[in-house]
Amino acid sequence: MTVPELWAGTDAGKAEHHCVVIDSDGKRKLSRRVANDETALLQLISDVMALSGGEPVTWAIDLNSGGAALMIALLTDNGQRVLYIPGRTVHHASGSYRGDGKTDAKDAFVIADQARMRRDLQTMHCGDDIAVDLRILTSRRLDLAADRTRTINRLRAQMLEYFPALERAFDYKTSKAALVLLTQYQTPAALRRVGKNRLATWLKNRKARNYQLVAATAVEAAEAQHTAVTGEKLAAAMVAKLAREVMTLDEEIAETDALIEGRFHDHPHAEVILSMPGIGPVLGAEFIAHTGGDLSVFGSSDRLAGVAGLAPVPKDSGRISGNMRRPRRYCRRLLRVFYMSAMVASRSCPVSRAFYERKRAEGKGHKQAIIALARRRLNVLWALIRDGRPFEITAPPSPVALA
């Protein structure tokens, strides 16, 4: 007797997963809570394979990283087909099943049943080592950049309470010299005591750029305030600490950028990606990290555009038609790669600049024109990677070529 194909749905968690196996009629064959541990997961895979009698099993899971990473790795190492079903999809699908309760067992059943019925789910592939490394590094860089922004905001908020003139005197996001200044001098009285000339010498010895201008600006701010605000001493100490934190974060971001660039250049598509105007090592690394380094899994550039949020979807109803909007589910990191690179290319690349200006002439706003350019550049990058050739401007852009 032929054993029917089985579908195994897994509701993934941090410490434990719940797996439900169903047959082609939707009947439960197994329901088990299993620890997120290699031995337990291998035993689960073995038991499910025993149920199938050697017939194929389709696995589905609601996470593609994090706590599900070990299970996905074990499944792919054992030659199993794994589908990814986003948690949002599972949540909306659950409403069409009987009962209002929510349990891990029910969610796992919904995942398995959706895998059984749907044909539009994407098969998961383990990214190559370089893509995985770049995903880790770019995620770390994003965290560091967010920490830096938060720390600068705290620093400025603290300074605003006792020394507003110095708070508005510098752009602390870009001025390293201003941060160096704050590690030693944070109050109006301290800046007046040291004076412009001695402060300039002190900054110069610490290799601060534009040290004379920074010293003059800081002392001028100090001359504008002679009142010591209550709590100034402790606030100044906090500002010095926050300034040192920002400088430490800058060093770690620079180190991470170096690691990203070195690892990115190891990828076979690196030179092709870097040939595109507006894409540097960091954006290129994010592209590799969030596509897995293999565009064949997307099938077409249109599918990649949908994942990146650059393919509008219709929102028609009744007499309303032609109403397009951005999809609700898309990879915001991929969208950032193409949007930011399009912003740069619209200023630095003649072909991209001409395309952008044509869209503006058609009545599109700046953001719409940039998104249109980002979509166009996605198609170009897809073709370049497919053909293994770098981007080249062979002739001045013409209206026919840009149409």
Side-chain angles (χ1 to χ4, degrees):
M1 184 177 76
T2 303
V3 178
E5 184 177 5
L6 300 180
W7 287 263
T10 303
D11 180 45
K14 294 180 180 179
E16 294 180 320
H17 308 318
H18 198 107
C19 179
V20 170
V21 180
I22 63 174
D23 60 18
S24 57
D25 295 325
K27 295 182 179 179
R28 298 183 189 229
K29 309 296 289 185
L30 179 146
S31 179
R32 181 187 301 175
R33 183 178 294 275
V34 59
N36 190 12
D37 175 78
E38 181 176 348
T39 303
L41 293 175
L42 285 174
Q43 184 62 51
L44 172 67
I45 294 171
S46 176
D47 292 345
V48 174
M49 294 303 297
L51 280 176
S52 71
E55 292 297 313
V57 177
T58 299
W59 297 76
I61 197 163
D62 62 343
L63 291 177
N64 58 6
S65 60
L70 176 59
M71 184 169 189
I72 294 169
L74 293 173
L75 289 170
T76 53
D77 288 348
N78 284 273
Q80 300 297 298
R81 180 177 181 237
V82 187
L83 302 178
Y84 170 54
I85 302 183
R88 181 191 291 268
T89 301
V90 177
H91 171 72
H92 289 297
S94 295
S96 62
Y97 289 79
R98 184 174 59 187
D100 293 332
K102 182 189 183 304
T103 64
D104 293 342
K106 179 182 178 180
D107 289 344
F109 175 82
V110 172
I111 292 169
D113 201 39
Q114 288 294 301
R116 178 178 68 91
M117 295 186 295
R118 297 180 62 160
R119 297 295 179 266
D120 60 340
L121 299 175
Q122 185 175 351
T123 302
M124 296 183 64
H125 299 272
C126 284
D128 58 46
D129 290 340
I130 298 175
V132 173
D133 289 349
L134 290 176
R135 178 169 58 81
I136 295 171
L137 288 170
T138 54
S139 296
R140 176 57 179 164
R141 191 191 189 282
L142 183 67
D143 290 341
L144 290 171
D147 290 342
R148 183 181 189 272
T149 299
R150 283 192 293 268
T151 305
I152 289 175
N153 288 341
R154 293 190 190 109
L155 181 148
R156 301 194 72 154
Q158 191 70 74
M159 289 182 63
L160 190 61
E161 293 184 2
Y162 77 95
F163 197 173
L166 189 61
E167 185 274 333
R168 61 176 177 265
F170 301 105
D171 183 357
Y172 297 96
K173 297 190 298 294
T174 59
S175 178
K176 182 179 178 180
L179 294 172
V180 173
L181 169 73
L182 291 179
T183 60
Q184 184 67 29
Y185 303 101
Q186 312 89 23
T187 64
L191 287 169
R192 286 194 300 270
R193 280 195 303 269
V194 71
K196 182 172 64 175
N197 294 334
R198 289 172 56 197
L199 181 58
T201 302
W202 184 86
L203 290 170
K204 181 181 178 181
N205 292 337
R206 283 152 184 79
K207 300 180 181 180
R209 297 180 60 185
N210 300 320
Y211 55 89
Q212 291 181 336
L213 177 61
V214 172
T217 303
V219 173
E220 181 182 353
E223 293 293 346
Q225 179 178 329
H226 291 265
T227 300
V229 178
T230 304
E232 179 187 87
K233 184 176 180 180
L234 181 57
M238 293 300 298
V239 165
K241 183 177 181 180
L242 290 170
R244 286 190 289 269
E245 287 181 10
V246 175
M247 295 174 66
T248 301
L249 287 169
D250 284 339
E251 293 175 2
E252 191 169 353
I253 289 172
E255 292 172 359
T256 305
D257 285 345
L259 291 173
I260 289 173
E261 184 171 359
R263 197 64 174 125
F264 173 65
H265 280 289
D266 292 337
H267 198 276
H269 297 327
E271 296 305 317
V272 174
I273 295 172
L274 289 176
S275 69
M276 283 285 290
I279 299 183
V282 174
L283 287 181
E286 289 195 14
F287 174 77
I288 294 296
H290 295 283
T291 57
D294 182 11
L295 297 186
S296 64
V297 301
F298 296 97
S300 68
S301 59
D302 292 338
R303 170 64 179 161
L304 177 59
V307 173
L310 290 172
V313 296
K315 190 179 181 181
D316 298 344
S317 179
R319 298 180 181 179
I320 300 176
S321 61
N323 186 15
M324 309 297 287
R325 62 169 176 83
R326 182 179 295 166
R328 291 183 178 178
R329 298 185 297 276
Y330 60 92
C331 179
R332 283 162 174 78
R333 300 286 294 277
L334 269 181
L335 176 62
R336 177 181 177 274
V337 169
F338 288 105
Y339 189 88
M340 296 299 293
S341 66
M343 287 276 288
V344 175
S346 67
R347 298 188 297 268
S348 61
C349 175
V351 174
S352 297
R353 180 66 182 176
F355 183 89
Y356 169 82
E357 290 178 348
R358 180 163 70 87
K359 290 300 177 182
R360 292 303 304 270
E362 292 173 1
K364 295 185 181 298
H366 168 71
K367 186 175 180 180
Q368 291 176 310
I370 291 294
I371 290 175
L373 176 59
R375 177 69 173 89
R376 174 68 173 237
R377 286 166 53 83
L378 182 147
N379 289 343
V380 173
L381 183 58
W382 176 280
L384 293 178
I385 294 176
R386 179 196 62 201
D387 300 340
R389 58 187 177 87
F391 179 85
E392 295 178 352
I393 301 177
T394 56
S398 64
V400 176
L402 293 171

